[in-house]
Amino acid sequence: MKKFILTLDQGTTSSRAIIVDKSGSIISVAQKEFTQYFPKPGWVEHNPIELIDKIKKLLDKITSKYRASNIASIGITNQ
């Protein structure tokens, strides 16, 4: 059974789920943008509930293509 690494990337403007193989080659990418709020000049805020919702949707999309049993590990990055 082929094993993959799932990376969740929480960026400044979007969330991404990336599947890579053991050699580091990108197999699949899913991305969802989220709303940015600017309460003051130079400030940016995000709604944490929206961020979680976007990640859940990305995980649903990825796991529809790749079974959880094929995911060897998960890496998380955050801006």
Side-chain angles (χ1 to χ4, degrees):
M1 176 186 327
K2 233 177 174 182
K3 295 289 186 173
F4 301 99
I5 298 168
L6 168 62
T7 300
L8 299 174
D9 174 34
Q10 190 60 63
T12 304
T13 60
S14 69
S15 300
R16 284 189 192 91
I18 305 165
I19 296 284
V20 297
D21 65 16
K22 66 181 181 179
S23 70
S25 296
I26 295 174
I27 304 300
S28 182
V29 177
Q31 180 178 359
K32 297 266 183 197
E33 291 186 0
F34 48 80
T35 309
Q36 296 190 62
Y37 302 94
F38 301 95
K40 293 182 181 182
W43 286 29
V44 64
E45 294 180 355
H46 302 110
N47 179 334
I49 303 302
E50 183 183 7
L51 296 180
I52 290 168
D53 182 57
K54 299 294 180 174
I55 290 291
K56 285 180 180 178
K57 287 179 180 172
L58 289 171
L59 289 174
D60 287 345
K61 187 172 183 175
I62 288 290
T63 55
S64 72
K65 293 181 183 180
Y66 302 92
R67 290 191 215 161
S69 60
N70 292 100
I71 305 298
S73 65
I74 299 173
I76 301 173
T77 65
N78 190 289
Q79 172 62 22

